[in-house]
């Protein structure tokens, strides 16, 4: 069965980790908008320079840029057999943009995986990642900003997808492999 998935949840919940495992399991690309911005930043592209002002502060990169990179990426050859989107959509305008793209491509979403974890656990994981990876946007201010935007703009989108019958909610706490198994079981049961 073809999987066209979103993986959603707050910062530090393990979206990237689980997206990589799902990518391997289903043989589909994991597409992270955050990773695409970081890659462009590192390589000094025009897109990277435009995004930097926003990513550094933990603010959303404007839709004109973000929607375009997603549209381009979903149109690539390796995305024809399915994909997992991590970090997109993050606002109701991005949900609308994605709906439109998928309608044009004739490839509807198959499920939306929502991960969650207690606030304390998220804080610990983010602090650990900041130490290990030294991401430019893992400063306390940028983290706080990203969490605020998540609560205000992104979390409400879960209701949208729930009402469409697409939501698969899984506990993001515990062992990485166990969580991944649970997600795959839930997806395969649909
Ligand atoms: N869909 C998006 N719309 C606008 N900006 C985005 C989007 N996705 C990523 N960005 C930009 O890239 C930055 C990093 O995003 P990324 O998803 O990697 O980090 P995050 O929010 O901390 O989540 P995680 O903890 O799962 O890595 C965001 O703060 C934002 O500036
Ligand atoms: Mg991530």
């Amino acid at each position: 069965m073809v999987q066209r998935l979103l993986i959603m949840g707050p910062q530090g919940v393990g979206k990237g980790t689980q997206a990589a495992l799902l990518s391997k399991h289903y043989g589909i690309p994991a597409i992270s908008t955050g990773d695409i911005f970081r890659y462009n930043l590192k390589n000094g592209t025009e897109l990277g320079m435009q995004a930097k002002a926003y990513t550094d502060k933990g603010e959303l990169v404007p839709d004109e840029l973000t929607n375009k990179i997603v549209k381009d990426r979903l149109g690539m050859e390796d995305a024809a057999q399915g994909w997992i989107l991590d970090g997109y959509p993050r606002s109701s305008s991005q949900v609308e943009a994605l709906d439109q793209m998928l309608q044009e491509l004739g490839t509807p979403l198959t499920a939306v995986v929502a991960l969650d974890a207690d606030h304390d656990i998220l804080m610990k994981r983010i602090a650990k990642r900041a130490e290990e990876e030294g991401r430019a946007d893992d400063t306390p201010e940028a983290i706080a900003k990203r969490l605020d935007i998540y609560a205000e703009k992104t979390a409400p989108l879960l209701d949208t997808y729930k009402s469409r019958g697409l939501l698969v909610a899984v506990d993001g706490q515990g062992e990485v492999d166990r969580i991944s198994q649970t997600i795959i079981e839930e997806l395969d049961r649909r």
Side-chain angles (χ1 to χ4, degrees), residues 12 14-17 32 34-35 38 86-87 129 135:
K15 296 183 294 290
T17 303
S32 155
D35 285 350
R38 279 187 287 279
D86 162 10
R129 182 177 74 187
R135 246 170 72 170

Side-chain angles (χ1 to χ4, degrees), residues 31-157:
I31 301 168
S32 155
T33 45
D35 285 350
I36 294 173
F37 288 131
R38 279 187 287 279
Y39 175 85
N40 278 274
L41 246 164
K42 203 177 84 188
N43 290 285
T45 68
E46 179 71 27
L47 172 66
M49 288 184 292
Q50 286 172 321
K52 183 175 161 57
Y54 304 92
T55 55
D56 276 357
K57 282 189 255 166
E59 284 167 8
L60 293 185
V61 174
D63 280 358
E64 304 88 76
L65 292 177
T66 309
N67 292 337
K68 183 168 188 318
I69 63 166
V70 174
K71 188 169 187 196
D72 290 348
R73 186 63 188 85
L74 292 181
M76 287 167 77
E77 210 176 314
D78 69 337
Q81 303 316 318
W83 36 259
I84 308 162
L85 265 177
D86 162 10
Y88 183 93
R90 273 163 131 99
S91 63
S92 54
S93 63
Q94 292 183 1
V95 169
E96 282 170 30
L98 179 63
D99 283 346
Q100 171 128 27
M101 286 174 223
L102 297 183
Q103 195 167 353
E104 282 170 17
L105 289 165
T107 53
L109 285 172
T110 56
V112 175
V113 177
L115 297 173
D116 208 357
D118 288 343
H119 187 260
D120 290 1
I121 291 188
L122 296 176
M123 292 303 129
K124 275 187 202 144
R125 288 187 190 167
I126 295 171
K128 189 164 164 245
R129 182 177 74 187
E131 258 178 45
E132 290 171 354
E133 295 179 22
R135 246 170 72 170
D137 62 347
D138 273 346
T139 61
E141 296 77 17
I143 291 166
K145 185 78 197 173
R146 298 211 299 286
L147 287 165
D148 279 356
I149 293 176
Y150 180 79
E152 192 198 325
K153 296 197 167 159
T154 312
L157 308 178

